[in-house]
Amino acid sequence: MTRGKFITLEGGEGVGKTTNLSFISSYLQNHGIDVIVTREPGGTRLAEKIRELLLDSNNESISESAELLLMFAARAQHIKHVIEPALSQGKWVLCDRFTDATYAYQGGGRNMNINTIEWLENLIQGTLRPDLTLLLDAPVEVGIERARDRGQLDRFESEKIDFFERVRQAYLRQAELYPERIKLIKADQPLSDVQNKLIDMLRPLIR
Ligand code: T5A
C-alpha cells in the first residue's frame, strides 16, 4: 500500500485556513483521493480537550512551557491515533496547523528557544514531517480584522499586535528554511485568487 500524503495548512489568525480546508478537501476528492481533514491542536477526543484548555481565555494564566508541552501532548495523541494510521492506510491527511505553528506561536510569538521546540519535534514526531505545507500569509491587521468580525476572541486571538507580527515573521522564516516543503500564498487577495494558487501548489503532488 502506498503511503498517503500529509498536507498542512498554516498562517496567522483569520488568514483563511478553515475557509480553504474544505475547498482543498473537495479538490482532492474530485481527483479520486481518499482524504481526511483534521486540525491542531485537536483531532482526537483527548487532544480536543487539550485544545479547549489552550484556547480558553478564562483559564488561570498558562505558563509558556506548559503551553508548549500541551501542544506537543495533543500532537502525540493526534499522530498516534489519527495521522499515522491514515497515512499508512494510503489516505491523505489534510491538517489545519501542525508543528510550523509551534515554531511560529511558541518560538516567534512567545520567544521560546527554537532548539527546545526542535528537540520536542524529533521526540514526538520521529521522522514525520508534512509532504506539503501551504502557508497563507497576510498583513497582521487583515487577519485580526477578519477574526474579530467573527465575535468572541480566544486566548491567542486576545494577544497584542506585536505578538502576531512575531508569529508572522517566524512563519516567513520557516518558509525560507524549507522552500521545498512550504509554499507561500498571499492571502490578502480575493478568495478565488487564493484558491487558484492553492490548486497550482497541489497539482504537482497529485501527478
Ligand atoms: N497554536 C496552534 C499554537 O500556538 N501552537 C501550535 O502548535 C498550534 C497547532 C488555534 C490556536 O492555537 C495556536 C494558534 C491559534 O491561535 P485555530 O482555530 O486553529 O486556533 O486558529 P485560528 O487562526 O484562530 O483560526 P481561525 O479560524 O481564526 O482562522 P482561519 O481558519 O485562518 O480563518 P477563517 O478561514 O476562519 O477565515 C476568517 C474569516 O475571513 C474570511 C472568512 O470567510 C472568515 O469570515 N476570509 C476571507 N475574506 C476575504 N478574502 C479572503 N481571501 C478570505 N479568506 C477568508
Side-chain angles (χ1 to χ4, degrees):
M1 163 89 52
T2 314
R3 193 173 157 85
K5 301 275 185 210
F6 183 26
I7 303 175
T8 58
L9 208 55
E10 295 280 3
E13 306 296 310
V15 286
K17 296 176 302 300
T18 311
T19 306
N20 286 303
L21 216 59
S22 56
F23 170 79
I24 297 174
S25 161
S26 307
Y27 176 79
L28 294 175
Q29 279 166 3
N30 290 341
H31 285 78
I33 292 163
D34 193 358
V35 58
I36 66 154
V37 178
T38 186
R39 68 172 179 183
E40 288 215 349
T44 77
R45 230 159 8 116
L46 179 58
E48 287 291 330
K49 284 188 182 164
I50 297 175
R51 178 188 177 92
E52 275 174 38
L53 294 175
L54 280 162
L55 298 193
D56 186 356
S57 44
N58 297 317
N59 256 336
E60 68 188 42
S61 112
I62 301 182
S63 80
E64 290 173 357
S65 311
E67 182 180 282
L68 177 67
L69 292 171
L70 285 168
M71 288 294 174
F72 273 106
R75 186 160 296 139
Q77 288 299 107
H78 193 206
I79 291 171
K80 180 173 163 60
H81 294 296
V82 176
I83 298 176
E84 269 303 342
L87 293 175
S88 38
Q89 286 163 25
K91 291 181 185 158
W92 288 34
V93 175
L94 180 57
C95 189
D96 193 343
R97 296 193 187 280
F98 193 62
T99 308
D100 291 305
T102 313
Y103 282 99
Y105 282 78
Q106 281 65 51
R110 304 267 189 247
N111 286 316
M112 292 194 79
N113 190 316
I114 298 298
N115 295 333
T116 309
I117 299 176
E118 214 167 46
W119 186 84
L120 285 165
E121 179 182 38
N122 290 328
L123 176 76
I124 301 303
Q125 294 171 220
T127 58
L128 177 71
R129 300 290 181 276
D131 295 291
L132 172 68
T133 297
L134 300 160
L135 172 56
L136 298 174
D137 177 63
V140 166
E141 307 76 43
V142 174
I144 297 289
E145 197 60 36
R146 288 182 192 164
R148 271 206 192 109
D149 284 348
R150 266 186 332 207
Q152 174 115 46
L153 301 179
D154 67 34
R155 199 173 62 85
F156 287 99
E157 288 165 348
S158 312
E159 287 290 340
K160 303 231 161 41
I161 202 97
D162 59 328
F163 174 87
F164 296 111
E165 282 295 354
R166 289 199 300 278
V167 168
R168 183 180 184 205
Q169 293 312 317
Y171 264 132
L172 294 174
R173 257 195 320 275
Q174 284 293 99
E176 266 177 33
L177 279 175
Y178 305 103
E180 288 302 311
R181 171 174 69 84
I182 303 181
K183 303 296 174 198
L184 192 66
I185 294 154
K186 268 171 62 67
D188 55 340
Q189 46 181 344
L191 195 53
S192 56
D193 292 356
V194 172
Q195 295 182 334
N196 285 333
K197 290 275 160 37
L198 289 170
I199 291 176
D200 288 346
M201 306 300 179
L202 289 164
R203 226 179 254 128
L205 213 61
I206 290 171
R207 265 193 223 121

